[in-house]
Amino acid sequence: MRPLPSPLLVVTDRTLVPGGEQDLVARIDALLAGGARWVWFRERDLAPAPRETLARALLERVRARGGVLSIGASAALAAGLGADGVHLPGGATPADFAAARGRLPDGLIGVSAHSIGEVEAAARHGADYATLSPIFATSSKPGYGPALGPEAMRAAKACGLPVIALGGIMGERVRPCRAAGAAGIAVMGGLMRSRDPAGDVGALLGAWKT
């Protein structure tokens, strides 16, 4: 089983950052200063050229800190940038996994899952990890069904794949996820909106360790 780069996966969404796209790079700089070392670059609504430009800027920042950048959805973009991996969307097919592995033979291949069945499928298709969401109710990404709760991580762990808890995870919610078998936590809204991004990263990593 491949080790994860960090127990904390930072998920980007420039629309949640005060200042928007212009401030996303500065936000990632602050999160890296706080100890973040793994970033999932989403921004799937951007046109190809500006998306590549923004991803390249973030890759430079992440690499300067010795971190890992996963590109959302596009293995082609990840390979073109020389990024560390790709995070496939929910519903990815065996062909999607095969294409990603073909472009990124040594890359980190992840996928979004919203049920235990989807985690099982990810394991069968050769994913290195999966995010499972929503663990708690979240305003950032509504519409994925009711909160699964930390207990869902127990069943997910049995699939034989590192599973990262995503959705409404901050503060006191970290420990229950780890205790239930999460391999890590992923946070988007809480860190994109944070008034103290470096401090909040440190708090999340500290909560994971205790």
Side-chain angles (χ1 to χ4, degrees):
M1 189 179 297
R2 185 171 179 171
L4 298 178
S6 168
L8 172 62
L9 173 57
V10 173
V11 189
T12 74
D13 187 335
R14 72 193 187 287
T15 68
L16 302 178
V17 178
E21 181 176 335
Q22 298 301 317
D23 286 348
L24 179 59
V25 174
R27 172 60 48 124
I28 295 302
D29 280 337
L31 295 170
L32 291 167
R37 290 297 180 268
W38 186 16
V39 178
W40 164 12
F41 175 74
R42 294 179 75 254
E43 319 310 324
R44 290 170 56 189
D45 60 313
L46 276 175
R51 187 172 193 240
E52 179 177 348
T53 298
L54 184 55
R56 193 178 299 279
L58 292 188
L59 180 60
E60 179 182 341
R61 297 321 201 272
V62 172
R63 285 279 172 78
R65 293 278 188 172
V68 168
L69 184 72
S70 295
I71 301 295
S74 178
L77 177 57
L81 291 171
D84 302 284
V86 64
H87 189 100
L88 299 174
T93 66
D96 294 328
F97 281 95
R101 189 61 72 190
R103 288 184 179 273
L104 299 162
D106 299 316
L108 190 65
I109 310 298
V111 65
S112 295
H114 305 292
S115 69
I116 301 304
E118 290 181 357
V119 175
E120 291 173 341
R124 289 197 306 273
H125 300 333
D128 294 307
Y129 71 93
T131 56
L132 180 62
S133 66
I135 300 302
F136 299 98
T138 173
S139 60
S140 297
K141 291 293 174 183
Y144 287 108
L148 300 170
E151 61 274 10
M153 303 309 301
R154 299 189 191 280
K157 184 179 180 181
C159 298
L161 185 71
V163 182
I164 299 169
L166 170 63
I169 297 171
M170 290 294 283
E172 71 281 357
R173 293 175 169 176
V174 174
R175 294 185 186 92
C177 291
R178 184 180 184 187
I185 52 172
V187 182
M188 182 175 69
L191 292 177
M192 293 295 103
R193 298 188 186 99
S194 172
R195 295 184 179 182
D196 180 14
D200 283 343
V201 163
L204 286 165
L205 291 170
W208 180 265
K209 292 175 183 176
T210 58

